[in-house]
Amino acid sequence: MNANATNSYHSNAFVNWYFVMKAVGLKKDIPGLFLEDIAKPEIQKKDDVLIRIISTAIDGTDFSLLKNHLVDAPEKEDFLTLGHEMIGRVEAVGSGVHTIAVGDLVTPTNRRGCGICSACAENMSDYCYTGLYKEHGIHFLHGYLTEYAVSQEQYCVKMSEEDIALGVWVEPMSIAIKAFDEMLRIQLRAPSSCIHPEHNWDQPRWQGCKRALVLGAGPLGFLGTLWLRAHDIETYVLEVVPEDSIKVKMIKKLGAHYVDGKSFTPKKIMEAIGHVDVIFEATGASDVALAFIEMMSRNSVYLLMGVPRAQENKVCFDVNAILRHIVRQNQVILGSVNSNAEHFRKAAEFLRFIQKRFPGMLEKGITNRFALEQFEEAFSFTDGERLKIVFDISKP
Ligand code: BGC
Ligand code: ZN
């Protein structure tokens, strides 16, 4: 971290101070996190939307980019603003914008298509074929740990005034929603694991007849648990924090069972639970993720959500056994990344339902709030008492 991180930064040396804003992010050449002055974005194209950012949350990706000093700065720049989970208010719109007006609350998606492939042409850049996409706060576009952002009409999902508290949850929820949508489609390939037709995967509820294991009770594991419990799936959540930690308390309030990952082997855990229809992996730790592949139940789906980076300790696995099981037990291991505006809309709707089904949970899940200037504190400790970390940037 840089203690006197107030040096000015802007791509144009003649930029007027009135047109700069604060941003927290990474520098290409120097490891650490910095608070910089960067140029305030402006409306340039017809479909542009200028957003004044109200709150931005951070997640494992932000920590990972910092820790591993991964800096895909925008072209010709050497600074990348972090953050990709945001809610803000529209301050200006381009002449061609019709569905969004000044004053609206919006949360923008973070990926921008390659402009080449069929997926991006259909506004489904989360399935981009070329890999030449950009992502706000991650790959080649500034993120939202700053005061303003320019997005385009098609990427801005409108939120209502009641949604302010859940706004920063929409992006990560959309990631989980997309993966569960895929899981539902995959599971329809096989007969259901219980004998009740009303609990088939194309039904809305499963009344405890379906079982899931969530690996990790961080923000994404919490959202995965929310989805599973909202659909009445018997849910087990594996974590390695003490049982009285906020993470465990939250999952218990959702009616999920805590599994102490330190005391039991994956084999013992799976034997105790029995048939598990879906594993939702949200640890980003490859040793944990791999250990449970070997333990998958028949006809089950494994949703890989974490993005592991280099781990210090190398792990050994019986690859023959893993591959044999996958084939002989009809297992599906599914990687799922990113989400599009459609998933954002679904996520917003689902979160509104959650506000009624589990009142106060989304608010409680935000354990820490910081101002941009407190970026060092916000990014510094990673104790078990933190769930979602949010930066409050401007008044709603
Ligand atoms: C974001 C995704 C993104 C992924 C990989 C995640 O944290 O939520 O939108 O695609 O990181 O860059
Ligand atoms: Zn049943």
Side-chain angles (χ1 to χ4, degrees), residues 59 61 84 110-111 135 138-139 171 175 307 337-339:
D59 76 349
T61 299
H84 56 272
N110 70 329
R111 189 177 282 193
E135 287 181 340
I138 302 171
H139 295 301
E171 196 276 346
I175 302 285
V307 184
V337 72
N338 199 249
S339 56

Side-chain angles (χ1 to χ4, degrees), residues 276-298:
V276 170
D277 298 280
V278 51
I279 299 182
F280 184 85
E281 183 281 322
T283 64
S286 36
D287 49 351
V288 181
L290 272 168
F292 278 90
I293 289 181
E294 250 181 310
M295 296 298 138
M296 284 172 74
S297 302
R298 288 176 192 275

